[in-house]
Amino acid sequence: MLICPQCKFQNPNSNKFCQNCGTSLTHKVCPECSTDDVPVNALRCHNCGTECGTVFWAIIAKETTGEALGVEGDNGDVGIEKDEGNVGIEGAISSSYPLSPSSQIALGSYLDSQERYQLLDPIPAQTETATIIDVGVRVLDCQPYEISPIAAILASQQSDLVTPSVEASGIPRLAKLYIALQSQDQQGIPPIHDAWQQGDMQIVIIEDRSHWQLLLDLWQEETTSSLKILHWCYQMTQLWAVLEPVNCRQSLLDLSNLRLDEDQTLTLQRLYVESSNSQPTTESSEDAQAQTSAILEQPLTIQALGRVWQALFKQSQRTQFGSVVQMLGDLDAGKIQTIAQLRSRLEEISIELEALGTATLPPIKEKNTAVPTIPQSDEPEDIISKIDDMPTVVLTMQLSSLEDVGRTDVGRQRHHNEDYFGIETKIDKLELPKSQVLQGHGLYILCDGMGGHAGGEIASELAVNTLRQYFQEHWIANQLPTEDSIREAVYLANEAIYKLNQHDARSGVGRMGTTLVMLLIQDTQVAVAHVGDSRLYRLTRKRGLEQVTVDHEVGQREITRGVEASIAYARPDAYQLTQALGPRDENSINPDVGFFEINEDTLLLLASDGLSDNDLLETHWQTHLEPLLSSGVNLERGVTDLIDLANLHNGHDNITAILIRAKVRPNLES
């Protein structure tokens, strides 16, 4: 099946256009020059040369006994060896697989008989002195819209709300590790895209992180603060605890495998299964390779983390600071023996730095202090439930960026636009060589008017302007308004419209009114107020799309009274509003006011019902909202695409959307 990139509709493989929305399934649009006839299997745009193909990282590894659990086979080999960067392949491979034991794959040929994954990097020839049985290369997905077997399995199980199983037939044992960790939403581990078994060879296709910034590169920059380095050390302890049950701690010991995402959070390029006599293939400098080799020659205990940190300091030529020298010495001497003890020392160092007036890491809270151990006999499917017991960390976050955009459209059937919105944002930025503080102050208001021409549009604009004026006068700097203050503002907006209705002697359906959804942001603190059926949605990578507000309409009112949803929304008046600003006095409204905190990168969306009707956002959030979490994706383009989507599938009403992208980072600066 071909999955439409726009609407996610499943199409037969023979289709050239999506049966649901008409999107081309053979060509795509270049993100740089907007050329719309780039073949989906092309690596680069033929017009501007921009690389826009779907590229993944392919791991080709020999299957050995017990590899998926990191258990050594009879000869102790778990399938990873190294010989000074010369990489080759050995082992029997079925005839459907184009790789042969005695020949090198030519650049441009394919990893699979279906000719889906095309090699972008050459696989080095074998050497006479050693045979490498683990290699990673970039590949181009020439059929990016065709769902992979792994993705189909995970999607079907997620739709059934069950824990993904790793026992499906044909899944390589190495791939099961990625599936298990992916099911636990481990952001530091690259997500798996595809995998298959060919004879005794496993092929695993994962996200390509080869171009992500090396930890070593940023570690050695003079502008990188000591506290940021301390936080990366802490992140390594978190990953160590996650990787220990699946015997992949070795993944942290290769300096070239330690990468940073766009938010400078530590991630891994890939997983390496532990072996006492094997090492991952590196692409780092000779010095870095020598450091990595020295680390791997030692027993695999938490002392290995200390040796990694020492290697990073040495390679970066940075001087070890403060109590870090003592901590590394205690680690090497065996005085620190558990992850919990190591984390405690890191926290002590942060407190010490704070006392010296240096920006510091906030106190760390854990619900568990002991690191769980898992018997070597555990199967991959057991990993999923046991990772749930990993220690969790709650870190104070601070705002790193705040972006917003709004747009309204009349739709395809209305002759005038009764929606109205307002955005007021103020960003105060203090940046010094080793620290940066960002304070964000944002007011976002969306109103969907009712009452016809010269009615609804007046009410919505009046409500927005009344609320803006109120908060200009009553919002104390750097402090989020209280619930009472927010309610007072909403009541004043209601009163302004109500008085106009009374003055004009409007009655019945002629009385104008408006819905309201309002968002207030102060740094990472958020308040939301709403009346009616305009909505606030929140999207994060961990939790997906969430509807924050609950519509004030008859159907929802019946549900709160205990009526089943199917019965509640079978009523002819199910979508009739139970609250709105303006038609009646303040005794007839009770705005919902709530508060929450932004503790991870978040996309917030205020939407009128022209955009949210018919579960449009719930259906299309993965294609139209999730990409907007990335800083590299343009919000202006994103809101335009949302309006176009609503006009394509709804279009019966005015359409308004406000997008806010808030990115955060650990509060390392005081």
Side-chain angles (χ1 to χ4, degrees), residues 241-532:
V242 168
L243 296 172
E244 183 175 22
V246 295
N247 289 351
C248 288
R249 292 167 295 179
Q250 187 167 298
S251 309
L252 287 166
L253 307 186
D254 178 5
L255 300 188
S256 68
N257 198 44
L258 303 178
R259 304 279 172 159
L260 298 173
D261 66 12
E262 62 181 15
D263 300 314
Q264 298 184 357
T265 298
L266 180 69
T267 69
L268 301 176
Q269 181 176 337
R270 57 162 291 184
L271 293 178
Y272 286 108
V273 183
E274 294 168 20
S275 169
S276 60
N277 65 345
S278 64
Q279 301 174 11
T281 301
T282 68
E283 299 174 359
S284 52
S285 66
E286 291 183 4
D287 287 342
Q289 289 185 19
Q291 291 291 332
T292 299
S293 298
I295 294 168
L296 291 168
E297 289 172 358
Q298 303 296 325
L300 198 53
T301 64
I302 62 167
Q303 281 69 40
L305 276 181
R307 291 190 288 272
V308 170
W309 297 339
Q310 289 174 334
L312 284 163
F313 277 112
K314 182 176 181 180
Q315 285 294 303
S316 64
Q317 298 183 344
R318 288 186 68 115
T319 303
Q320 297 173 14
F321 53 88
S323 299
V324 169
V325 176
Q326 183 64 45
M327 179 191 69
L328 292 176
D330 289 346
L331 252 179
D332 194 51
K335 296 180 181 179
I336 302 174
Q337 298 186 353
T338 68
I339 285 292
Q341 292 171 345
L342 184 54
R343 288 175 174 172
S344 179
R345 288 293 292 273
L346 290 170
E347 183 178 354
E348 289 173 4
I349 296 173
S350 73
I351 294 172
E352 176 186 321
L353 291 177
E354 185 177 37
L356 294 172
T358 307
T360 186
L361 195 70
I364 298 165
K365 301 177 181 178
E366 300 181 2
K367 67 180 181 181
N368 295 319
T369 56
V371 178
T373 57
I374 297 180
Q376 292 286 342
S377 61
D378 284 332
E379 290 297 322
E381 62 269 23
D382 297 328
I383 293 168
I384 297 173
S385 60
K386 294 185 179 182
I387 292 178
D388 283 333
D389 297 326
M390 290 292 105
T392 59
V393 180
V394 180
L395 297 177
T396 301
M397 308 300 286
Q398 72 175 23
L399 202 62
S400 62
S401 67
L402 184 66
E403 304 169 81
D404 51 61
V405 63
R407 184 180 166 189
T408 186
D409 186 83
V410 70
R412 294 188 290 111
Q413 297 183 17
R414 299 293 180 91
H415 298 293
H416 61 281
N417 195 343
E418 296 180 278
D419 288 2
Y420 200 80
F421 71 90
I423 296 176
E424 288 191 13
T425 309
K426 181 181 179 182
I427 304 293
D428 292 323
K429 183 178 180 181
L430 172 63
E431 187 162 1
L432 300 171
K434 294 188 177 182
S435 65
Q436 175 180 296
V437 177
L438 189 75
Q439 292 182 328
H441 174 107
L443 175 65
Y444 310 93
I445 311 168
L446 186 154
C447 292
D448 179 357
M450 61 196 75
H453 186 61
E457 55 200 50
I458 292 176
S460 59
E461 183 175 357
L462 181 57
V464 170
N465 289 334
T466 301
L467 291 164
R468 287 180 55 244
Q469 182 177 350
Y470 175 89
F471 287 111
Q472 286 171 358
E473 299 173 359
H474 295 85
W475 191 340
I476 302 173
N478 302 327
Q479 184 176 337
L480 202 62
T482 64
E483 179 176 348
D484 289 342
S485 179
I486 294 171
R487 286 185 176 276
E488 180 181 357
V490 176
Y491 288 137
L492 285 175
N494 182 82
E495 182 181 10
I497 303 170
Y498 177 76
K499 284 183 176 179
L500 191 56
N501 274 324
Q502 295 298 93
H503 180 271
D504 295 342
R506 293 173 178 259
S507 61
V509 295
R511 292 179 73 82
M512 59 185 175
T514 184
T515 68
L516 165 70
V517 60
M518 177 172 62
L519 193 70
L520 303 91
I521 295 180
Q522 183 64 59
D523 302 329
T524 59
Q525 304 298 315
V526 181
V528 57
H530 95 286
V531 175

Side-chain angles (χ1 to χ4, degrees), residues 41-43 54-56 58 106-112 115-121 137-143:
N41 63 350
L43 176 63
T54 305
V55 177
F56 291 100
L107 184 64
S109 60
Y110 300 88
L111 283 180
D112 59 317
E115 297 189 351
R116 173 168 182 172
Y117 298 106
Q118 184 179 20
L119 279 168
L120 298 179
D121 302 320
V137 290
R138 291 194 316 147
V139 294
L140 173 68
D141 188 349
C142 298
Q143 302 166 28

Side-chain angles (χ1 to χ4, degrees), residues 628-649:
L628 301 178
L629 280 168
S630 174
S631 300
V633 179
N634 187 279
L635 278 186
E636 291 275 0
R637 176 67 180 270
V639 77
T640 298
D641 289 345
L642 282 175
I643 298 294
D644 292 344
L645 180 72
N647 271 318
L648 178 65
H649 294 281

